[in-house]
Amino acid sequence: DAGVTQSPTHLIKTRGQQVTLRCSPKSGHDTVSWYQQALGQGPQFIFQYYEEEERQRGNFPDRFSGHQFPNYSSELNVNALLLGDSALYLCASSPRQGRIQYFGAGTRLSVL
Amino acid sequence: QQQVKQSPQSLIVQKGGISIINCAYENTAFDYFPWYQQFPGKGPALLIAIRPDVSEKKEGRFTISFNKSAKQFSLHIMDSQPGDSATYFCAASMDYNQGGKLIFGQGTELSVKP
């Protein structure tokens, strides 16, 4: 049983570019959450998707957007990249109303 | 009010010793308190979790102590091993209908010396 998988593992972009990160949830999970983890910090909640809709959102600008597909996989899009967007982006999945969130290994984004 | 405060920032323990990490919260709506372990280059992995109706939960060498009145909880790692060297995060969340998102502490970098 595969856990949460994320791609790509690493990504290097320049300021102003756009990026798309991908996540496949754990088998049997239908809820996907995205977190941003800056170096030396705890993860910060970006948003959560269920039934292909954004259900709740953290304190992140509109440059951060997402999508969930019918197979429950999800994408995180970031437009107009800033240097401060450099971080580890984590995807977590859970069953509907489940409290336990399982995390993927993350995508390391570097913005130059 | 949404914050979870974690201490210490770093911790060095001798092999076989007890590692203790503390967390405090303000929002009494939080009702689920997990601890995650993260190794370099990996995502956080759930270690153990507790709900506020329980004062203590033990799984192997890991124990969570919970003080509802003080709004504090802590992780104890007994007989600490070099393989326990990692960053530990406490977290808190409310039930799904109130959000369900995890609010993380700042993390504690644990180093267990042989």
PDB file of all heavy atoms in Angstrom, chain A residues 1 13 20 22 37 43 45 49 53-54 62 71 74 78-79 82-83 91 93-94 99 101 103-104 106 110-112:
ATOM      1  N   ASP A   1       0.864  -1.186   0.000  1.00  0.00           N
ATOM      2  CA  ASP A   1       0.000   0.000   0.000  1.00  0.00           C
ATOM      3  C   ASP A   1       0.895   1.228   0.000  1.00  0.00           C
ATOM      4  O   ASP A   1       1.611   1.489   0.969  1.00  0.00           O
ATOM      5  CB  ASP A   1      -0.893  -0.018   1.236  1.00  0.00           C
ATOM      6  CG  ASP A   1      -1.738   1.243   1.354  1.00  0.00           C
ATOM      7  OD1 ASP A   1      -2.039   1.818   0.291  1.00  0.00           O
ATOM      8  OD2 ASP A   1      -2.065   1.628   2.468  1.00  0.00           O
ATOM      9  N   LYS A  13      13.252  27.247  -9.354  1.00  0.00           N
ATOM     10  CA  LYS A  13      12.570  28.217 -10.205  1.00  0.00           C
ATOM     11  C   LYS A  13      13.195  29.596  -9.961  1.00  0.00           C
ATOM     12  O   LYS A  13      13.920  29.809  -8.987  1.00  0.00           O
ATOM     13  CB  LYS A  13      11.074  28.267  -9.873  1.00  0.00           C
ATOM     14  CG  LYS A  13      10.304  27.000 -10.247  1.00  0.00           C
ATOM     15  CD  LYS A  13      10.118  26.909 -11.724  1.00  0.00           C
ATOM     16  CE  LYS A  13       9.213  25.759 -12.115  1.00  0.00           C
ATOM     17  NZ  LYS A  13       8.995  25.700 -13.592  1.00  0.00           N
ATOM     18  N   THR A  20       3.914  24.090 -10.364  1.00  0.00           N
ATOM     19  CA  THR A  20       2.848  23.152 -10.017  1.00  0.00           C
ATOM     20  C   THR A  20       3.444  21.943  -9.325  1.00  0.00           C
ATOM     21  O   THR A  20       4.369  21.322  -9.846  1.00  0.00           O
ATOM     22  CB  THR A  20       2.083  22.690 -11.273  1.00  0.00           C
ATOM     23  OG1 THR A  20       1.461  23.815 -11.884  1.00  0.00           O
ATOM     24  CG2 THR A  20       1.008  21.670 -10.897  1.00  0.00           C
ATOM     25  N   ARG A  22       2.556  18.216  -7.275  1.00  0.00           N
ATOM     26  CA  ARG A  22       1.539  17.172  -7.354  1.00  0.00           C
ATOM     27  C   ARG A  22       1.577  16.237  -6.161  1.00  0.00           C
ATOM     28  O   ARG A  22       2.640  15.993  -5.576  1.00  0.00           O
ATOM     29  CB  ARG A  22       1.704  16.392  -8.663  1.00  0.00           C
ATOM     30  CG  ARG A  22       1.455  17.246  -9.896  1.00  0.00           C
ATOM     31  CD  ARG A  22       1.698  16.516 -11.195  1.00  0.00           C
ATOM     32  NE  ARG A  22       1.354  17.374 -12.336  1.00  0.00           N
ATOM     33  CZ  ARG A  22       2.143  18.312 -12.845  1.00  0.00           C
ATOM     34  NH1 ARG A  22       3.352  18.503 -12.329  1.00  0.00           N
ATOM     35  NH2 ARG A  22       1.750  19.044 -13.863  1.00  0.00           N
ATOM     36  N   GLN A  37       6.565  24.328   4.730  1.00  0.00           N
ATOM     37  CA  GLN A  37       7.501  24.257   5.843  1.00  0.00           C
ATOM     38  C   GLN A  37       8.783  24.999   5.478  1.00  0.00           C
ATOM     39  O   GLN A  37       9.599  24.511   4.688  1.00  0.00           O
ATOM     40  CB  GLN A  37       7.815  22.811   6.215  1.00  0.00           C
ATOM     41  CG  GLN A  37       8.677  22.691   7.463  1.00  0.00           C
ATOM     42  CD  GLN A  37       8.939  21.253   7.887  1.00  0.00           C
ATOM     43  OE1 GLN A  37       8.839  20.324   7.088  1.00  0.00           O
ATOM     44  NE2 GLN A  37       9.263  21.055   9.155  1.00  0.00           N
ATOM     45  N   PRO A  43       5.483  23.051   9.943  1.00  0.00           N
ATOM     46  CA  PRO A  43       4.625  23.217   8.759  1.00  0.00           C
ATOM     47  C   PRO A  43       3.488  24.202   9.021  1.00  0.00           C
ATOM     48  O   PRO A  43       2.933  24.231  10.116  1.00  0.00           O
ATOM     49  CB  PRO A  43       4.084  21.805   8.526  1.00  0.00           C
ATOM     50  CG  PRO A  43       5.066  20.891   9.196  1.00  0.00           C
ATOM     51  CD  PRO A  43       5.550  21.649  10.383  1.00  0.00           C
ATOM     52  N   PHE A  45      -0.277  25.484   7.480  1.00  0.00           N
ATOM     53  CA  PHE A  45      -1.391  25.037   6.666  1.00  0.00           C
ATOM     54  C   PHE A  45      -1.671  26.030   5.539  1.00  0.00           C
ATOM     55  O   PHE A  45      -1.797  27.233   5.769  1.00  0.00           O
ATOM     56  CB  PHE A  45      -2.622  24.889   7.561  1.00  0.00           C
ATOM     57  CG  PHE A  45      -3.890  24.529   6.834  1.00  0.00           C
ATOM     58  CD1 PHE A  45      -4.111  23.234   6.412  1.00  0.00           C
ATOM     59  CD2 PHE A  45      -4.856  25.487   6.592  1.00  0.00           C
ATOM     60  CE1 PHE A  45      -5.288  22.894   5.760  1.00  0.00           C
ATOM     61  CE2 PHE A  45      -6.027  25.161   5.948  1.00  0.00           C
ATOM     62  CZ  PHE A  45      -6.241  23.858   5.528  1.00  0.00           C
ATOM     63  N   TYR A  49      -8.461  20.191   0.512  1.00  0.00           N
ATOM     64  CA  TYR A  49      -9.420  19.852  -0.535  1.00  0.00           C
ATOM     65  C   TYR A  49     -10.173  18.581  -0.201  1.00  0.00           C
ATOM     66  O   TYR A  49      -9.597  17.595   0.291  1.00  0.00           O
ATOM     67  CB  TYR A  49      -8.700  19.682  -1.881  1.00  0.00           C
ATOM     68  CG  TYR A  49      -8.460  20.986  -2.579  1.00  0.00           C
ATOM     69  CD1 TYR A  49      -7.349  21.751  -2.264  1.00  0.00           C
ATOM     70  CD2 TYR A  49      -9.367  21.490  -3.503  1.00  0.00           C
ATOM     71  CE1 TYR A  49      -7.140  22.977  -2.866  1.00  0.00           C
ATOM     72  CE2 TYR A  49      -9.164  22.709  -4.109  1.00  0.00           C
ATOM     73  CZ  TYR A  49      -8.044  23.451  -3.787  1.00  0.00           C
ATOM     74  OH  TYR A  49      -7.846  24.661  -4.377  1.00  0.00           O
ATOM     75  N   GLU A  53     -13.232  20.375  -3.929  1.00  0.00           N
ATOM     76  CA  GLU A  53     -13.438  21.773  -3.556  1.00  0.00           C
ATOM     77  C   GLU A  53     -12.481  22.164  -2.438  1.00  0.00           C
ATOM     78  O   GLU A  53     -12.159  21.343  -1.571  1.00  0.00           O
ATOM     79  CB  GLU A  53     -14.876  22.012  -3.099  1.00  0.00           C
ATOM     80  CG  GLU A  53     -15.895  21.952  -4.226  1.00  0.00           C
ATOM     81  CD  GLU A  53     -17.271  22.413  -3.770  1.00  0.00           C
ATOM     82  OE1 GLU A  53     -17.373  23.006  -2.678  1.00  0.00           O
ATOM     83  OE2 GLU A  53     -18.229  22.168  -4.501  1.00  0.00           O
ATOM     84  N   GLU A  54     -12.079  23.430  -2.441  1.00  0.00           N
ATOM     85  CA  GLU A  54     -11.278  23.963  -1.341  1.00  0.00           C
ATOM     86  C   GLU A  54     -12.204  24.147  -0.144  1.00  0.00           C
ATOM     87  O   GLU A  54     -13.141  24.938  -0.193  1.00  0.00           O
ATOM     88  CB  GLU A  54     -10.636  25.293  -1.740  1.00  0.00           C
ATOM     89  CG  GLU A  54      -9.727  25.868  -0.663  1.00  0.00           C
ATOM     90  CD  GLU A  54      -9.138  27.207  -1.076  1.00  0.00           C
ATOM     91  OE1 GLU A  54      -8.341  27.254  -2.037  1.00  0.00           O
ATOM     92  OE2 GLU A  54      -9.465  28.221  -0.424  1.00  0.00           O
ATOM     93  N   ASP A  62      -3.544  34.773  -2.632  1.00  0.00           N
ATOM     94  CA  ASP A  62      -4.225  34.128  -3.754  1.00  0.00           C
ATOM     95  C   ASP A  62      -3.265  33.559  -4.787  1.00  0.00           C
ATOM     96  O   ASP A  62      -3.696  32.810  -5.677  1.00  0.00           O
ATOM     97  CB  ASP A  62      -5.162  35.134  -4.429  1.00  0.00           C
ATOM     98  CG  ASP A  62      -6.333  35.502  -3.544  1.00  0.00           C
ATOM     99  OD1 ASP A  62      -6.555  34.768  -2.571  1.00  0.00           O
ATOM    100  OD2 ASP A  62      -7.000  36.511  -3.832  1.00  0.00           O
ATOM    101  N   ASN A  71      -9.926  11.422  -8.841  1.00  0.00           N
ATOM    102  CA  ASN A  71      -9.250  10.285  -8.199  1.00  0.00           C
ATOM    103  C   ASN A  71      -8.599  10.690  -6.866  1.00  0.00           C
ATOM    104  O   ASN A  71      -7.825   9.928  -6.301  1.00  0.00           O
ATOM    105  CB  ASN A  71      -8.194   9.690  -9.132  1.00  0.00           C
ATOM    106  CG  ASN A  71      -7.036  10.656  -9.385  1.00  0.00           C
ATOM    107  OD1 ASN A  71      -7.080  11.814  -8.986  1.00  0.00           O
ATOM    108  ND2 ASN A  71      -6.004  10.175 -10.053  1.00  0.00           N
ATOM    109  N   SER A  74      -4.112  15.667  -6.046  1.00  0.00           N
ATOM    110  CA  SER A  74      -4.219  17.119  -5.917  1.00  0.00           C
ATOM    111  C   SER A  74      -2.993  17.814  -6.490  1.00  0.00           C
ATOM    112  O   SER A  74      -1.918  17.213  -6.604  1.00  0.00           O
ATOM    113  CB  SER A  74      -4.387  17.481  -4.437  1.00  0.00           C
ATOM    114  OG  SER A  74      -4.432  18.882  -4.238  1.00  0.00           O
ATOM    115  N   VAL A  78       1.585  27.734  -7.520  1.00  0.00           N
ATOM    116  CA  VAL A  78       2.028  29.006  -6.976  1.00  0.00           C
ATOM    117  C   VAL A  78       2.440  29.892  -8.141  1.00  0.00           C
ATOM    118  O   VAL A  78       3.302  29.517  -8.951  1.00  0.00           O
ATOM    119  CB  VAL A  78       3.203  28.851  -6.002  1.00  0.00           C
ATOM    120  CG1 VAL A  78       3.514  30.187  -5.330  1.00  0.00           C
ATOM    121  CG2 VAL A  78       2.905  27.793  -4.949  1.00  0.00           C
ATOM    122  N   ASN A  79       1.800  31.066  -8.249  1.00  0.00           N
ATOM    123  CA  ASN A  79       2.109  32.026  -9.316  1.00  0.00           C
ATOM    124  C   ASN A  79       3.047  33.106  -8.801  1.00  0.00           C
ATOM    125  O   ASN A  79       3.139  33.346  -7.582  1.00  0.00           O
ATOM    126  CB  ASN A  79       0.814  32.671  -9.817  1.00  0.00           C
ATOM    127  CG  ASN A  79      -0.081  31.661 -10.512  1.00  0.00           C
ATOM    128  OD1 ASN A  79       0.393  30.789 -11.217  1.00  0.00           O
ATOM    129  ND2 ASN A  79      -1.369  31.777 -10.272  1.00  0.00           N
ATOM    130  N   LEU A  82       8.056  34.274  -5.347  1.00  0.00           N
ATOM    131  CA  LEU A  82       8.921  35.172  -4.587  1.00  0.00           C
ATOM    132  C   LEU A  82      10.032  34.352  -3.938  1.00  0.00           C
ATOM    133  O   LEU A  82       9.879  33.141  -3.727  1.00  0.00           O
ATOM    134  CB  LEU A  82       8.122  35.898  -3.513  1.00  0.00           C
ATOM    135  CG  LEU A  82       6.903  36.711  -3.973  1.00  0.00           C
ATOM    136  CD1 LEU A  82       6.142  37.235  -2.763  1.00  0.00           C
ATOM    137  CD2 LEU A  82       7.332  37.845  -4.880  1.00  0.00           C
ATOM    138  N   LEU A  83      11.129  35.033  -3.592  1.00  0.00           N
ATOM    139  CA  LEU A  83      12.221  34.340  -2.912  1.00  0.00           C
ATOM    140  C   LEU A  83      11.721  33.652  -1.643  1.00  0.00           C
ATOM    141  O   LEU A  83      12.152  32.554  -1.293  1.00  0.00           O
ATOM    142  CB  LEU A  83      13.341  35.319  -2.573  1.00  0.00           C
ATOM    143  CG  LEU A  83      14.072  35.968  -3.760  1.00  0.00           C
ATOM    144  CD1 LEU A  83      15.146  36.929  -3.250  1.00  0.00           C
ATOM    145  CD2 LEU A  83      14.693  34.919  -4.666  1.00  0.00           C
ATOM    146  N   CYS A  91       2.365  17.554   1.399  1.00  0.00           N
ATOM    147  CA  CYS A  91       0.992  17.135   1.168  1.00  0.00           C
ATOM    148  C   CYS A  91       0.646  16.103   2.239  1.00  0.00           C
ATOM    149  O   CYS A  91       1.470  15.254   2.587  1.00  0.00           O
ATOM    150  CB  CYS A  91       0.872  16.533  -0.227  1.00  0.00           C
ATOM    151  SG  CYS A  91      -0.705  15.739  -0.572  1.00  0.00           S
ATOM    152  N   SER A  93      -2.658  13.484   3.582  1.00  0.00           N
ATOM    153  CA  SER A  93      -3.986  12.955   3.257  1.00  0.00           C
ATOM    154  C   SER A  93      -4.620  12.326   4.491  1.00  0.00           C
ATOM    155  O   SER A  93      -3.937  11.922   5.435  1.00  0.00           O
ATOM    156  CB  SER A  93      -3.907  11.940   2.118  1.00  0.00           C
ATOM    157  OG  SER A  93      -3.363  10.702   2.544  1.00  0.00           O
ATOM    158  N   SER A  94      -5.934  12.290   4.455  1.00  0.00           N
ATOM    159  CA  SER A  94      -6.692  11.687   5.547  1.00  0.00           C
ATOM    160  C   SER A  94      -8.026  11.220   4.984  1.00  0.00           C
ATOM    161  O   SER A  94      -8.491  11.720   3.963  1.00  0.00           O
ATOM    162  CB  SER A  94      -6.900  12.693   6.677  1.00  0.00           C
ATOM    163  OG  SER A  94      -7.588  13.833   6.218  1.00  0.00           O
ATOM    164  N   ARG A  99      -8.949  12.217  11.755  1.00  0.00           N
ATOM    165  CA  ARG A  99      -8.083  13.182  12.422  1.00  0.00           C
ATOM    166  C   ARG A  99      -6.614  12.955  12.097  1.00  0.00           C
ATOM    167  O   ARG A  99      -5.812  13.866  12.197  1.00  0.00           O
ATOM    168  CB  ARG A  99      -8.309  13.104  13.938  1.00  0.00           C
ATOM    169  CG  ARG A  99      -9.734  13.343  14.361  1.00  0.00           C
ATOM    170  CD  ARG A  99     -10.309  14.611  13.774  1.00  0.00           C
ATOM    171  NE  ARG A  99      -9.630  15.797  14.231  1.00  0.00           N
ATOM    172  CZ  ARG A  99      -9.960  16.435  15.363  1.00  0.00           C
ATOM    173  NH1 ARG A  99     -10.921  15.987  16.129  1.00  0.00           N
ATOM    174  NH2 ARG A  99      -9.313  17.527  15.711  1.00  0.00           N
ATOM    175  N   GLN A 101      -3.508  12.657   9.912  1.00  0.00           N
ATOM    176  CA  GLN A 101      -3.027  13.082   8.608  1.00  0.00           C
ATOM    177  C   GLN A 101      -1.673  12.442   8.341  1.00  0.00           C
ATOM    178  O   GLN A 101      -0.768  12.516   9.175  1.00  0.00           O
ATOM    179  CB  GLN A 101      -2.920  14.606   8.525  1.00  0.00           C
ATOM    180  CG  GLN A 101      -4.273  15.299   8.626  1.00  0.00           C
ATOM    181  CD  GLN A 101      -4.208  16.774   8.327  1.00  0.00           C
ATOM    182  OE1 GLN A 101      -3.318  17.255   7.630  1.00  0.00           O
ATOM    183  NE2 GLN A 101      -5.186  17.518   8.841  1.00  0.00           N
ATOM    184  N   PHE A 103       1.661  12.299   5.965  1.00  0.00           N
ATOM    185  CA  PHE A 103       2.402  13.230   5.124  1.00  0.00           C
ATOM    186  C   PHE A 103       3.265  12.508   4.103  1.00  0.00           C
ATOM    187  O   PHE A 103       3.807  11.422   4.365  1.00  0.00           O
ATOM    188  CB  PHE A 103       3.313  14.109   5.992  1.00  0.00           C
ATOM    189  CG  PHE A 103       2.589  15.186   6.727  1.00  0.00           C
ATOM    190  CD1 PHE A 103       1.943  14.928   7.923  1.00  0.00           C
ATOM    191  CD2 PHE A 103       2.540  16.475   6.214  1.00  0.00           C
ATOM    192  CE1 PHE A 103       1.266  15.929   8.604  1.00  0.00           C
ATOM    193  CE2 PHE A 103       1.868  17.486   6.878  1.00  0.00           C
ATOM    194  CZ  PHE A 103       1.231  17.214   8.074  1.00  0.00           C
ATOM    195  N   GLY A 104       3.408  13.155   2.947  1.00  0.00           N
ATOM    196  CA  GLY A 104       4.388  12.725   1.979  1.00  0.00           C
ATOM    197  C   GLY A 104       5.763  13.266   2.339  1.00  0.00           C
ATOM    198  O   GLY A 104       5.913  13.990   3.334  1.00  0.00           O
ATOM    199  N   GLY A 106       7.417  15.387   0.636  1.00  0.00           N
ATOM    200  CA  GLY A 106       7.507  16.791   0.303  1.00  0.00           C
ATOM    201  C   GLY A 106       8.218  17.089  -1.009  1.00  0.00           C
ATOM    202  O   GLY A 106       8.912  16.240  -1.573  1.00  0.00           O
ATOM    203  N   SER A 110      13.072  25.687  -4.489  1.00  0.00           N
ATOM    204  CA  SER A 110      14.045  26.767  -4.327  1.00  0.00           C
ATOM    205  C   SER A 110      13.741  27.828  -5.371  1.00  0.00           C
ATOM    206  O   SER A 110      13.657  27.527  -6.560  1.00  0.00           O
ATOM    207  CB  SER A 110      15.473  26.250  -4.511  1.00  0.00           C
ATOM    208  OG  SER A 110      15.784  25.281  -3.519  1.00  0.00           O
ATOM    209  N   VAL A 111      13.568  29.055  -4.914  1.00  0.00           N
ATOM    210  CA  VAL A 111      13.302  30.175  -5.813  1.00  0.00           C
ATOM    211  C   VAL A 111      14.540  31.080  -5.823  1.00  0.00           C
ATOM    212  O   VAL A 111      14.967  31.586  -4.779  1.00  0.00           O
ATOM    213  CB  VAL A 111      12.062  30.974  -5.372  1.00  0.00           C
ATOM    214  CG1 VAL A 111      11.793  32.105  -6.361  1.00  0.00           C
ATOM    215  CG2 VAL A 111      10.857  30.059  -5.260  1.00  0.00           C
ATOM    216  N   LEU A 112      15.136  31.256  -7.005  1.00  0.00           N
ATOM    217  CA  LEU A 112      16.372  32.035  -7.117  1.00  0.00           C
ATOM    218  C   LEU A 112      16.102  33.414  -7.734  1.00  0.00           C
ATOM    219  O   LEU A 112      15.095  33.584  -8.455  1.00  0.00           O
ATOM    220  CB  LEU A 112      17.384  31.276  -7.975  1.00  0.00           C
ATOM    221  CG  LEU A 112      17.690  29.833  -7.514  1.00  0.00           C
ATOM    222  CD1 LEU A 112      18.661  29.193  -8.466  1.00  0.00           C
ATOM    223  CD2 LEU A 112      18.222  29.833  -6.091  1.00  0.00           C
TER     224      LEU A 112
END
